[in-house]
Amino acid sequence: MAFDSTQMDQLAERRGTDIQILVLIEPRNRETGEIEAMGLWTGDDHQHFIVDGEEHLFFGAGAVIEVPLIRAGIGLEVRRHRVILPPVLDEVKQALQVYQAAQARVRVWQQPMDLDTGAPLSQPRRIIKGRLERAPETLGKIGDNSRTELVIASA
């Protein structure tokens, strides 16, 4: 994994890191048939980010997005990655229920942030690229957490 000079400068200071997660789901609008991007990120406020050369709005979901360890490999084996979201977010319900989310393109990035300003520090690094296979919602018992788990298939 290569770091650019701004990331290297911040890492050399040994003050820590601030990495945010960006999730972009691209479901099809059932009424118009058009693909409409829906972005979520681990920050608190809505913010625009440039990913893969395009600017997208990402809705702030706070620190509730969880991405378990990613298993990498060589070959044509289909891998299933999981991104865990809370089910109560309106943005999540909109993407998964109002739109046709089956087989929607999903991309996930790590976005390094400047420790002093909180601004993006260089370009985000894509860690997952695939298609939404399913999105089961798990309702927790009283006192337990509920969640929506995006299962993303990639090769």
Side-chain angles (χ1 to χ4, degrees), residues 63-99:
V64 295
I65 298 175
E66 180 184 335
V67 180
L69 291 174
I70 297 172
R71 182 178 53 99
I74 298 173
L76 296 177
E77 174 186 351
V78 174
R79 291 167 189 79
R80 285 172 180 79
H81 307 283
R82 286 164 169 59
V83 175
I84 299 168
L85 307 170
V88 294
L89 289 175
D90 291 337
E91 291 87 357
V92 174
K93 289 185 185 253
Q94 180 183 7
L96 300 178
Q97 295 174 5
V98 175
Y99 290 87

Side-chain angles (χ1 to χ4, degrees), residues 8 13 29 34 36-38 43 52 80 83-84 86 95 113 133 136:
M8 289 299 291
E13 294 174 4
N29 183 317
E34 298 292 320
E36 296 182 14
M38 171 73 59
D52 294 344
R80 285 172 180 79
V83 175
I84 299 168
M113 306 298 275
E133 190 171 84

Side-chain angles (χ1 to χ4, degrees), residues 6 13 16 38 46 75 85 101 104-105 108 125 127 136 144 149:
T6 54
E13 294 174 4
M38 171 73 59
H46 303 345
L85 307 170
R105 183 166 76 157
V108 180
R125 182 182 318 272
I127 57 175
D144 287 342
E149 184 175 14

